[in-house]
Amino acid sequence: MSLDLDALRALEAVVKEGGFAKAALALNKAQSAVSYQVRKLEQSLGVALLDRSAYRATLTPAGETILAEGRRILARTQHLEDLAHQFATGWEPRMSLVIDGILPLEPIMTALKRIADDQVPTRIQVKVEFLRGVQYRFDKEEADLMLVKDYVPNPRLCATALPEVECVLCAAPGHPLAKGKVHLTDLQRHVELSVQDSSDHGDDRHMFGGERVFYLSGFVLKKQALRMGLGFGWMPLYLIERELAFRKLVELNYAGGSRYRFTPHLVTRRDRPLGRTGKLLADHLSQAITETVG
């Protein structure tokens, strides 16, 4: 048995409009055509869907169940047709984004919310990595977009520079390193806090080479560890401005310099141009990050 969707629509119209004549007007069809479609559906299913014994046809118990399920089928069919139209007009079915966890996540979530508010049909996967692990994951999984701290130029990729992000070398106010000017040998005697690099290609080039390093899963956990006095380390300024202002963390007086800046990049692939979703997301990401750190 092949289900006739037009016949389901005819049955729904008869019930919704209150009769065959009004259903015919709503569907812009002849009344005889609507009646024929409903009869054909009943014959196909082998069950009476309408009780025609009264002046106005009403659903039989079987008809109520069939129509309830039929409405779900019609809704899903309409959804599929809408998706097909959207994809045919340039929306990607799916795309993936890899971001560096040192970057502010709030503007990234803001950009994704704008995409959601626009009811874009694309399924978007977001993965957070750190350091060289960002580009490693981007290459390995052939992702569509990348927000990266340490971009390694590649002729197959197109990179757009975003506003600089400033990082601060800090520790808890009660930490031994917070009591005066410190040198490299002083730093190397204490626990350094860093984040995990999943690429297996080496450590952060801003690390200090001490023997004791604790690798954490992200900068939120790293900030908590710093406040506990577990060690010292670099933090993006935007994430600890409040802590510095209220002396929950302090900037170290390091002889080699306690601050540095980096330029993050928004990266796409030259050989796989972005579709409508990708272009829209890239614009939203650039705008949101510029508004936050620019």
Side-chain angles (χ1 to χ4, degrees):
M1 179 193 73
S2 60
L3 191 61
D4 188 338
L5 295 180
D6 285 337
L8 274 177
R9 293 187 182 99
L11 175 64
E12 182 185 38
V14 170
V15 175
K16 180 180 178 181
E17 301 298 332
F20 286 93
K22 291 182 178 180
L25 288 174
L27 295 173
N28 195 25
K29 291 183 177 181
Q31 182 174 337
S32 58
V34 174
S35 179
Y36 171 76
Q37 284 185 309
V38 174
R39 286 284 188 189
K40 185 177 178 183
L41 180 62
E42 289 176 315
Q43 292 172 1
S44 175
L45 296 174
V47 63
L49 302 175
L50 291 175
D51 182 353
R52 299 171 176 81
S53 60
Y55 171 74
R56 177 177 294 178
T58 57
L59 285 170
T60 64
E64 290 179 357
T65 302
I66 294 296
L67 181 57
E69 189 63 33
R71 281 171 171 157
R72 283 192 283 269
I73 293 173
L74 290 174
R76 293 299 301 170
T77 300
Q78 185 61 51
H79 179 63
L80 288 174
E81 291 175 352
D82 292 342
L83 282 178
H85 175 72
Q86 289 169 324
F87 295 146
T89 54
W91 298 111
E92 303 94 311
R94 60 182 56 82
M95 65 176 301
S96 56
L97 166 67
V98 184
I99 60 178
D100 196 313
I102 197 173
L103 297 174
L105 295 181
E106 184 174 347
I108 295 170
M109 294 303 105
T110 297
L112 290 170
K113 185 178 184 303
R114 290 173 182 169
I115 292 290
D117 290 344
D118 289 339
Q119 297 187 340
V120 172
T122 304
R123 293 186 177 184
I124 301 176
Q125 182 179 52
V126 180
K127 292 192 175 181
V128 178
E129 287 285 352
F130 300 96
L131 305 172
R132 297 184 185 182
V134 180
Q135 195 154 345
Y136 167 77
R137 183 68 59 188
F138 177 77
D139 291 335
K140 181 179 180 181
E141 298 189 1
E142 297 186 347
D144 302 284
L145 277 168
M146 169 173 66
L147 281 169
V148 60
K149 170 182 178 284
D150 297 318
Y151 172 59
V152 178
N154 186 312
R156 296 184 296 105
L157 304 177
C158 179
T160 301
L162 299 174
E164 288 185 331
V165 175
E166 188 168 24
C167 292
V168 180
L169 187 62
C170 60
H175 193 280
L177 293 173
K179 302 187 184 305
K181 192 165 187 175
V182 295
H183 299 270
L184 179 61
T185 53
D186 299 317
L187 296 177
Q188 291 175 337
R189 284 196 292 267
H190 292 273
V191 172
E192 181 174 2
L193 302 177
S194 185
V195 294
Q196 183 63 49
D197 178 358
S198 64
S199 69
D200 297 325
H201 291 313
D203 296 324
D204 185 354
R205 58 189 174 89
H206 291 100
M207 292 179 70
F208 296 96
E211 293 185 0
R212 292 188 295 163
V213 180
F214 288 0
Y215 292 97
L216 304 173
S217 61
F219 283 91
V220 173
L221 183 58
K222 184 176 180 180
K223 180 167 73 171
Q224 182 180 354
L226 286 166
R227 290 190 57 174
M228 291 175 60
L230 184 58
F232 73 95
W234 293 104
M235 284 291 293
L237 177 59
Y238 74 87
L239 202 55
I240 59 166
E241 286 181 308
R242 184 176 178 85
E243 283 75 15
L244 291 175
F246 290 92
R247 288 192 60 80
K248 301 296 184 181
L249 292 174
V250 296
E251 184 174 348
L252 299 186
N253 186 13
Y254 173 48
S258 61
R259 297 199 177 201
Y260 77 88
R261 292 174 174 267
F262 69 87
T263 302
H265 287 80
L266 177 63
V267 182
T268 60
R269 299 183 180 278
R270 294 186 187 276
D271 59 349
R272 197 168 71 211
L274 296 175
R276 290 180 67 182
T277 303
K279 291 177 181 177
L280 188 61
L281 180 57
D283 288 343
H284 286 334
L285 286 170
S286 180
Q287 179 182 347
I289 291 176
T290 298
E291 290 172 353
T292 301
V293 301

